[in-house]
Amino acid sequence: MYLYVENRLHERISELVGDDAEASFMAACQVAPEGSVMSSVQRYGDTMLNEVQLGWFVTELSRLPEGKKTDVIRQVMTMAQEAASRHGYLYISGD
């Protein structure tokens, strides 16, 4: 898994390579409620979230129980907030 923050011109600003050993981020996305932004994240495909979707995505991640907020999930939240603040995108490339 690779995550990239992109600005509105799709220039890459920052990246995160890999989930943790437990695949906590992908696991959280797989059990997310149907219709949520988290549930749209593809394990084996690519997902791109725009500014509007990023707002919902951050809200969904922030509602996870504290025990489920691993370091990777916190990094993803930070990257999503950065992308939204730049009016850009969060690009998630699955395995």
Side-chain angles (χ1 to χ4, degrees):
M1 172 188 81
Y2 295 88
L3 281 89
Y4 303 99
V5 172
E6 297 182 350
N7 64 18
R8 67 179 77 186
L9 300 175
H10 295 283
E11 299 166 329
R12 291 189 175 157
I13 307 300
S14 62
E15 72 177 69
L16 170 68
V17 177
D19 206 339
D20 54 27
E22 293 79 31
S24 62
F25 172 65
M26 282 303 195
C29 291
Q30 286 185 314
V31 299
E34 187 175 328
S36 66
V37 176
M38 285 177 62
S39 72
S40 71
V41 174
Q42 302 295 310
R43 178 181 284 277
Y44 299 109
D46 297 335
T47 308
M48 182 171 285
L49 304 177
N50 65 31
E51 184 178 357
V52 172
Q53 294 166 318
L54 287 167
W56 298 328
F57 185 62
V58 169
T59 298
E60 292 169 10
L61 290 170
S62 68
R63 290 182 178 160
L64 290 172
E66 284 303 314
K68 298 282 185 184
K69 291 181 186 172
T70 62
D71 288 340
V72 169
I73 289 176
R74 290 181 200 287
Q75 286 178 295
V76 171
M77 285 177 56
T78 299
M79 292 177 76
Q81 290 166 330
E82 178 185 4
S85 72
R86 294 176 177 271
H87 308 287
Y89 305 89
L90 183 65
Y91 179 79
I92 304 166
S93 179
D95 292 331

